[in-house]
Amino acid sequence: DRHGNSLGEIMEDGDIDVNFEMVVAGLAWTTTPTEELEALKQHARDRGIGLWTEENPTPPWLWRRQQSMLQSKSN
């Protein structure tokens, strides 16, 4: 990705997409939303599971930005 992180798809037993399963369980955000992923995320959100147990969970990209703003700047 643009930050130099390695990205990939993880399949279990050759046909189970772990990324999708994490979204279904409310354990992952969708950064490249598709209709299917958004529907899965909304279903987890409606059920209030995983990260959706919080009313307004902070997305990881915002959390990282907040953390970097809290760090002291060196000269």
Side-chain angles (χ1 to χ4, degrees), residues 16-43:
I16 298 172
D17 186 331
V18 174
N19 295 326
F20 277 61
E21 294 303 316
M22 289 180 67
V23 172
V24 168
L27 301 175
W29 293 85
T30 54
T31 57
T32 53
T34 63
E35 231 176 88
E36 184 178 13
L37 279 174
E38 284 300 306
L40 294 172
K41 181 181 82 174
Q42 189 59 50
H43 184 65

Side-chain angles (χ1 to χ4, degrees), residues 38-71:
E38 284 300 306
L40 294 172
K41 181 181 82 174
Q42 189 59 50
H43 184 65
R45 191 176 210 162
D46 292 344
R47 292 175 35 214
I49 60 172
L51 60 97
W52 305 112
T53 58
E54 295 183 33
E55 188 172 327
N56 291 308
T58 303
W61 52 91
L62 291 180
W63 186 87
R64 285 191 298 270
R65 186 178 313 143
Q66 292 166 349
Q67 296 307 303
S68 67
M69 293 174 72
L70 294 174
Q71 293 176 352

